[in-house]
Amino acid sequence: MNFIRNLIHKADRSSMYVVLLCCAGIGIFLYMNKLSYLHLSTEEWVMVYTMLGAALILDYFTFQIPPKGNQQSMDSSVYLACIFMFGGAFSLSVLLPVSLILLIKDRKLAWWKHIVNFSIYSLMIAGAASIFTWTGGVPGALDGYNLFPYFAALGAYFIINTITLGLFFHFSTKDALQQMKRAFVTESLLVYLCTLILALVLTILVIHNGILGLLLYLSLSILLSHAFKQLFLMYQSIEEKANTDQRTGLFNHSHFENMLENELASARAAGTPLSLGLIDIDDFKKYNDRFGHLQGDSLLALLGEFLNRKTEGTQVTAFRYGGEEFTLLMPGMELDEAYTFMNKLRKQLNDTPFEGVEVFPHGCLSFSAGVARYQVDMYNKSQLVDQADKALYYAKKQGKNNVHRHGSNDGMEHEIDLVQDVRDIEQQLNLFRYKDIDTFKHSKRVYKYALDLSELLELDNAEKRRFVLGALIHDIGKLEIPWSILNKKEKLTAEEWETIKGHVTWGKKMVMTNERFNDLIPYIELHHERFDGKGYPYGLRDREIPRLCRMLTVIDSFDAMTTERPYQKTKTVDEAINELRACAGSQFDPELAELFIRYIQKKTAQQLLS
């Protein structure tokens, strides 16, 4: 007994179900058929062969059902008609040779699945025959005055099919209810009603017209099968047009969203990997501007055809995400495998000739790409797309024609981003070296203050980047101020002050020429706004001014007070702190001013000790 218990414990539930199902089906067949082959007359053998041939023909001419191209065989109408005309035992006599022929013919299907199919059919036929007899049905000619047994038999046939297959999905997958709803209830109900009607028609034709009636029935079934096939092809054609991007021939963004949702659900249920690649053609705008939109469209079509060809026969599906961006959905691929696949595509595209590629910096077609992998703790699909997009952005920043894996060097990504951005901004600030060295030094000091305070403020990487870069570039607009005003030793006139104040607007315009630094505009434009609303250029007040811009105002003013400027007296650290406190609530945010004061006092004390 222990051996049996251990065997049951170790056995997979779906395997045990299959074994029990086969035992029940074969047992029912033996009980109901009772070796009827030994007692069949010659006429009955002819009828068995005839119905056997009909079942095989209908098994070949299946009915295709949308949306996924499921196929439904009408051979069930033959078994039901046999029940209505000759009883359940005869119907099983037809089933056995049909199953043996299909076992030999369809060797791609595993042998045990043939036995499972035979068992399910046996249970369905036995159940339908029992219900038919129990509800008053009599084998023979169709009784037009008592149709209830026929519907009851079909109901039993349908219910047994649904339960047996539904339990199989239940034991073998985690999505049993959805499978049952989709596969049996919503998609197959109409087909089963057709099966009953066809079975009734077959019964009438065979009873009254014999073989001729059967031939007429088969002709009708084959024509219906053809009609269903044409309708399905039409459905497929409409569906493909709705899901296809006409410019590139790839699936469109809408279909990508649906497929991503489905693939995430599959990966989550099965615990399989899923990776997403996001592609952006390098310098596509430059190519468009040089050769026009028609030629640009040709380039998009080329890349669409390229991706379609390279992903054919693989699990990878390519989509046009929008503009010059494409996505690759890669189910079953780990991050490194997906990276290798994408990088191989990149190299192959580099070697693809195309008219006008000499305008590209690399002298060839190229793209930058980011790859991200689905993780079980992801809240929704947007997180996966966002990670791939960040990896793509990083690849672009590394000089383009690159593929980057999200998270492969997470810390370095942010640090290198920041270092590169600082380097780019410093190149512009270098102009201050000959025009106004004080502003150059001031910008560098404010940047260092911002670096320290970003830690105290516990900013995340994105906030830190914006804050310190905004501090570094906040006075860039002063490059537009005449040298004579910027370095004037005497008191400025009212008109000259208005010129000075214009630097926030000029700085904004200068930064807007580079989309990469657009998120720094608030620091340039608003660092002279006051907490009481008396600042410029808009007169914003309190929380209307972004928090980090209020912090920058404090830093900027403190540095301006404590360093020598051509139009202002220099203060000591203590005098500047007193000034900050005096202006807290009017010029400065009181909380942020106090935070800065604590920071600068601690910093000053450390400098005195060192």
Side-chain angles (χ1 to χ4, degrees):
M1 292 299 289
N2 287 335
F3 170 75
I4 296 175
R5 288 197 191 95
N6 291 334
L7 192 63
I8 292 173
H9 179 71
K10 292 179 180 177
D12 179 65
R13 288 196 309 166
S14 61
S15 301
M16 290 181 61
Y17 172 72
V18 166
V19 171
L20 292 174
L21 184 65
C22 292
C23 291
I26 294 171
I28 286 291
F29 175 86
L30 294 174
Y31 174 76
M32 180 171 278
N33 187 258
K34 294 184 172 63
L35 300 177
S36 63
Y37 296 104
L38 301 175
H39 313 293
L40 292 176
S41 65
T42 304
E43 290 182 351
E44 288 173 329
W45 271 115
V46 170
M47 187 52 69
V48 168
Y49 292 143
T50 304
M51 302 309 282
L52 181 156
L56 289 175
I57 289 172
L58 293 181
D59 183 75
Y60 180 77
F61 290 100
T62 55
F63 284 55
Q64 290 181 300
I65 310 169
K68 292 188 176 180
N70 295 327
Q71 293 185 341
Q72 178 71 39
S73 170
M74 285 293 112
D75 59 348
S76 288
S77 64
V78 173
Y79 301 128
L80 284 171
C82 288
I83 293 172
F84 299 155
M85 291 186 291
F86 310 113
F90 182 88
S91 185
L92 291 174
S93 297
V94 176
L95 173 65
L96 180 60
V98 170
S99 300
L100 291 174
I101 292 172
L102 291 179
L103 174 64
I104 298 170
K105 173 179 167 287
D106 190 5
R107 296 181 181 174
K108 291 182 179 177
L109 190 66
W111 62 269
W112 65 271
K113 290 184 178 178
H114 281 284
I115 297 177
V116 169
N117 282 335
F118 171 76
S119 303
I120 291 175
Y121 269 103
S122 297
L123 292 171
M124 291 159 61
I125 291 171
S130 300
I131 293 296
F132 180 68
T133 306
W134 184 64
T135 54
V138 178
L142 182 68
D143 183 0
Y145 296 100
N146 184 21
L147 291 176
F148 177 71
Y150 302 96
F151 282 98
L154 177 73
Y157 196 86
F158 173 73
I159 290 170
I160 293 172
N161 186 18
T162 302
I163 291 175
T164 50
L165 285 178
L167 286 174
F168 177 77
F169 282 120
H170 174 70
F171 289 127
S172 56
T173 74
K174 299 176 182 177
D175 196 20
L177 291 178
Q178 290 299 325
Q179 292 274 10
M180 289 178 66
K181 180 182 176 183
R182 184 171 58 247
F184 303 119
V185 179
T186 59
E187 296 178 2
S188 299
L189 192 56
L190 179 62
V191 178
Y192 268 94
L193 287 175
C194 291
T195 303
L196 174 64
I197 294 171
L198 289 172
L200 296 177
V201 170
L202 178 59
T203 302
I204 294 171
L205 290 174
V206 171
I207 290 294
H208 294 283
N209 300 94
I211 300 298
L212 177 61
L214 179 64
L215 291 176
L216 289 173
Y217 167 78
L218 289 177
S219 301
L220 178 63
S221 298
I222 292 170
L223 288 174
L224 281 174
S225 171
H226 179 71
F228 266 76
K229 185 177 181 181
Q230 293 303 313
L231 285 173
F232 182 71
L233 291 176
M234 190 183 301
Y235 168 85
Q236 277 189 316
S237 174
I238 294 172
E239 186 183 42
E240 284 177 5
K241 285 182 180 176
N243 292 332
T244 302
D245 173 65
Q246 299 302 315
R247 185 75 61 205
T248 61
L250 299 175
F251 289 123
N252 57 25
H253 186 109
S254 176
H255 191 54
F256 165 72
E257 296 282 345
N258 293 332
M259 274 200 71
L260 178 58
E261 194 82 56
N262 293 334
E263 292 296 346
L264 280 173
S266 299
R268 191 176 295 116
T272 52
L274 171 68
S275 293
L276 174 69
L278 193 57
I279 288 174
D280 186 277
I281 303 175
D282 292 333
D283 299 294
F284 179 73
K285 186 176 183 305
K286 181 184 293 183
Y287 188 86
N288 241 354
D289 292 343
R290 175 71 177 274
F291 297 104
H293 290 288
L294 287 179
Q295 187 66 11
D297 289 346
S298 298
L299 175 55
L300 292 175
L302 174 84
L303 191 61
E305 190 274 335
F306 172 82
L307 292 175
N308 209 9
R309 183 160 35 86
K310 296 300 179 183
T311 56
E312 189 175 8
T314 70
Q315 291 183 306
V316 179
T317 307
F319 306 83
R320 186 184 181 191
Y321 193 67
E324 67 270 29
E325 288 189 329
F326 300 81
T327 57
L328 295 182
L329 201 53
M330 297 173 275
M333 279 194 183
E334 293 286 358
L335 187 62
D336 288 344
E337 189 181 359
Y339 166 78
T340 303
F341 182 82
M342 298 278 289
N343 207 32
K344 185 179 177 184
L345 285 183
R346 183 189 61 78
K347 290 177 181 175
Q348 289 174 338
L349 184 66
N350 289 165
D351 297 332
T352 302
F354 192 71
E355 183 180 349
V357 294
E358 60 275 4
V359 302
F360 292 122
H362 296 93
C364 63
L365 288 176
S366 69
F367 64 71
S368 299
V371 189
R373 182 193 185 280
Y374 159 75
Q375 294 168 334
V376 71
D377 58 348
M378 281 184 170
Y379 179 69
N380 57 30
K381 62 185 179 185
S382 299
Q383 281 184 279
L384 181 61
V385 176
D386 185 55
Q387 288 189 359
D389 189 49
K390 285 181 178 174
L392 167 62
Y393 176 74
Y394 182 78
K396 285 275 188 188
K397 290 183 69 66
Q398 302 315 302
K400 305 179 182 177
N401 199 17
N402 272 312
V403 180
H404 182 68
R405 286 163 285 192
H406 180 267
S408 56
N409 51 358
D410 200 28
M412 288 291 291
E413 289 168 18
H414 296 295
E415 290 303 323
I416 291 175
D417 278 356
L418 188 57
V419 169
Q420 182 61 44
D421 285 339
V422 169
R423 190 176 297 138
D424 291 346
I425 291 176
E426 281 181 331
Q427 286 178 355
Q428 299 185 49
L429 292 178
N430 279 336
L431 294 172
F432 279 119
R433 284 178 178 273
Y434 77 89
K435 188 167 186 177
D436 179 14
I437 189 64
D438 290 331
T439 298
F440 175 81
K441 291 179 177 178
H442 165 71
S443 299
K444 299 285 282 185
R445 286 192 298 272
V446 172
Y447 161 74
K448 290 174 182 173
Y449 285 136
L451 261 182
D452 290 345
L453 288 167
S454 64
E455 301 298 328
L456 291 176
L457 293 168
E458 298 181 346
L459 304 181
D460 63 30
N461 285 322
E463 290 174 325
K464 176 182 176 183
R465 174 189 170 275
R466 288 194 295 269
F467 185 44
V468 299
L469 291 180
L472 185 60
I473 203 173
H474 73 284
D475 270 341
I476 189 72
K478 287 186 176 178
L479 286 171
E480 291 296 311
I481 298 174
W483 188 92
S484 57
I485 298 177
L486 208 56
N487 294 279
K488 187 176 180 181
K489 304 296 182 185
E490 298 80 19
K491 186 177 181 180
L492 296 176
T493 64
E495 185 179 353
E496 289 169 337
W497 265 115
E498 288 303 315
T499 302
I500 290 285
K501 289 163 71 174
H503 78 280
V504 295
T505 306
W506 296 325
K508 174 185 175 182
K509 291 179 180 178
M510 292 167 71
V511 170
M512 284 176 67
T513 60
N514 189 340
E515 291 183 1
R516 193 168 126 215
F517 297 127
N518 275 356
D519 55 352
L520 307 183
I521 287 175
Y523 301 93
I524 298 167
E525 194 176 24
L526 305 179
H527 71 273
H528 282 291
E529 295 288 356
R530 290 169 53 109
F531 194 72
D532 57 6
K534 297 180 180 177
Y536 65 89
Y538 302 117
L540 301 178
R541 60 183 304 157
D542 202 343
R543 296 184 184 279
E544 291 176 345
I545 310 165
R547 177 171 175 257
L548 293 180
C549 291
R550 283 178 268 145
M551 187 77 253
L552 178 59
T553 302
V554 176
I555 300 172
D556 182 46
S557 298
F558 175 83
D559 189 74
M561 287 186 283
T562 54
T563 55
E564 185 178 345
R565 304 295 293 264
Y567 44 83
Q568 183 171 295
K569 181 184 175 183
T570 303
K571 296 182 185 299
T572 65
V573 171
D574 289 338
E575 288 173 337
I577 289 174
N578 291 335
E579 184 72 15
L580 288 178
R581 284 192 169 132
C583 297
S586 56
Q587 185 175 355
F588 309 116
D589 181 314
E591 291 184 10
L592 295 178
E594 196 57 39
L595 184 147
F596 180 79
I597 290 170
R598 289 198 298 272
Y599 154 74
I600 204 67
Q601 286 175 331
K602 183 177 180 182
K603 185 180 174 71
T604 305
Q606 289 173 342
Q607 288 173 343
L608 290 174
L609 290 174
S610 60

